[in-house]
Amino acid sequence: MNSIAVYSSKGGVGKTATAVNLAYASAHRGKRTLLCDIDPQGASSYYYRIPIKGQFNKKQFLKGRFKKYIQRTAYPHLSLLPAHFSFRNLDLALDPEAGNELKKIFASLKDDYDVLVFDCPPNMTLLSENLIMAADQVVMPVIPTTLSIRALAQSIKLFDKIGAERKKLRAFFSMVERRKNMHVDTVRSYRKKKVFFKTLIPYLADVEKMGATREPVAVSRPGSPAAVAYDRLWMEVWKRRV
Ligand SMILES: Nc1ncnc2c1ncn2[C@@H]1O[C@H](COP(=O)(O)OP(=O)(O)OP(=O)(O)O)[C@@H](O)[C@H]1O
Ligand SMILES: [Mg+2]
């Protein structure tokens, strides 16, 4: 089982759009995939039209009693663990001395899935630390602007601080707009650095429209530039898995 955390300390950089479309690409290419919506905003669950069932909340999740709340999506090989509003307090329930509680919890799924994708909330907290430790690979969307590059530098610092291996951190440029000089210049300066994937995700209306279609772009707009870009990103993520 390979786990991939789509993470950034910055909000609104395209984490959920990426998690939703990467998980779809993984499943479409035949991997038994579980998308874990760890963000209490529940956007991934919303995009896949998955409601929360029964008594699911952070207590069940942290006790590792969450398998029965996993739901199938409309697509082959793809399931989803929905987020719950109580996840907003996950940080308070985690042991600050441990750092690897979530890694242990997710390890119980190793025979059931080939790929786990975590849609992480925008934070730099104990929960972020747990998600980074639980992941084999951390995929970070970076909008080509100063503050996003700064968030990448801060994440590298966080990796060092918590003792996570830097080699499992990979970034890609997200929401790239070719008509903006700053985007073009930033991509040009950083793209060849080892930490970056080659694939970049352009700013495309089809991704924005996912809020209305509530489908991955490869379903709502098969063969579109957005669908092709996410599939290409998935191939790179899979190829460079640690
Ligand atoms: N490549 C893209 N092109 C156009 N719009 C995009 C793209 N990626 C994301 N968006 C839009 O930008 C907004 C933020 O994206 P998203 O929700 O994926 O970010 P996020 O990092 O998960 O945010 P949060 O930190 O709140 O969880 C959404 O409205 C989304 O539809
Ligand atoms: Mg999100």
Side-chain angles (χ1 to χ4, degrees):
M1 186 173 76
N2 215 267
S3 26
I4 295 151
V6 183
Y7 167 77
S8 171
S9 56
K10 250 185 98 50
V13 293
K15 295 179 294 296
T16 299
T18 304
V20 161
N21 288 299
L22 282 189
Y24 180 84
S26 162
H28 187 66
R29 287 181 173 273
K31 306 269 179 290
R32 294 170 304 161
T33 305
L34 177 67
L35 175 56
C36 305
D37 191 355
I38 312 294
D39 187 341
Q41 294 180 95
S44 282
S45 313
Y46 177 83
Y47 281 138
Y48 276 108
R49 304 166 187 250
I50 301 283
I52 294 156
K53 268 204 309 203
Q55 296 300 308
F56 185 53
N57 61 33
K58 74 164 189 294
K59 279 195 188 141
Q60 272 79 12
F61 176 56
L62 290 173
K63 282 184 192 151
R65 294 187 199 138
F66 59 90
K67 278 196 187 180
K68 62 180 173 189
Y69 301 110
I70 292 173
Q71 298 183 51
R72 290 196 175 166
T73 67
Y75 313 105
H77 309 306
L78 182 55
S79 297
L80 187 142
L81 177 69
H84 188 265
F85 196 55
S86 61
F87 281 17
R88 73 195 186 283
N89 293 325
L90 269 178
D91 267 308
L92 301 175
L94 290 165
D95 176 2
E97 301 301 322
N100 62 353
E101 276 171 275
L102 292 192
K103 187 179 175 75
K104 287 186 188 155
I105 288 170
F106 285 120
S108 67
L109 297 171
K110 70 176 180 348
D111 297 326
D112 303 324
Y113 299 98
D114 303 311
V115 173
L116 302 187
V117 178
F118 307 140
D119 181 12
C120 304
N123 263 331
M124 216 188 249
T125 60
L126 187 56
L127 174 60
S128 324
E129 176 180 338
N130 265 265
L131 287 164
I132 290 168
M133 291 315 238
D136 299 304
Q137 197 175 166
V138 176
V139 174
M140 185 169 165
V142 175
I143 300 175
T145 58
T146 318
L147 282 185
S148 267
I149 294 284
R150 203 166 158 261
L152 174 60
Q154 284 173 336
S155 298
I156 294 172
K157 243 194 212 168
L158 177 65
F159 266 59
D160 292 346
K161 175 120 184 98
I162 65 177
E165 289 177 277
R166 270 195 199 190
K167 67 173 186 201
K168 70 180 188 182
L169 175 65
R170 293 268 178 263
F172 70 94
F173 283 113
S174 168
M175 300 195 212
V176 179
E177 294 182 76
R178 295 215 173 271
R179 63 189 176 84
K180 290 187 175 167
N181 289 339
M182 188 181 198
H183 282 207
V184 173
D185 294 345
T186 310
V187 169
R188 198 175 290 141
S189 318
Y190 286 91
R191 201 178 183 179
K192 294 229 168 87
K193 294 205 184 289
K194 224 171 118 191
V195 70
F196 276 95
F197 286 122
K198 286 195 176 63
T199 309
L200 51 79
I201 305 291
Y203 191 94
L204 292 163
D206 285 336
V207 181
E208 250 181 333
K209 283 183 198 149
M210 277 172 49
T213 61
R214 296 177 75 185
E215 288 172 334
V217 283
V219 174
S220 57
R221 297 275 291 127
S224 64
V228 170
Y230 282 117
D231 191 52
R232 198 171 284 156
L233 182 63
W234 165 250
M235 296 299 277
E236 241 194 308
V237 168
W238 186 248
K239 202 169 138 197
R240 286 174 72 175
R241 69 191 179 277
V242 183

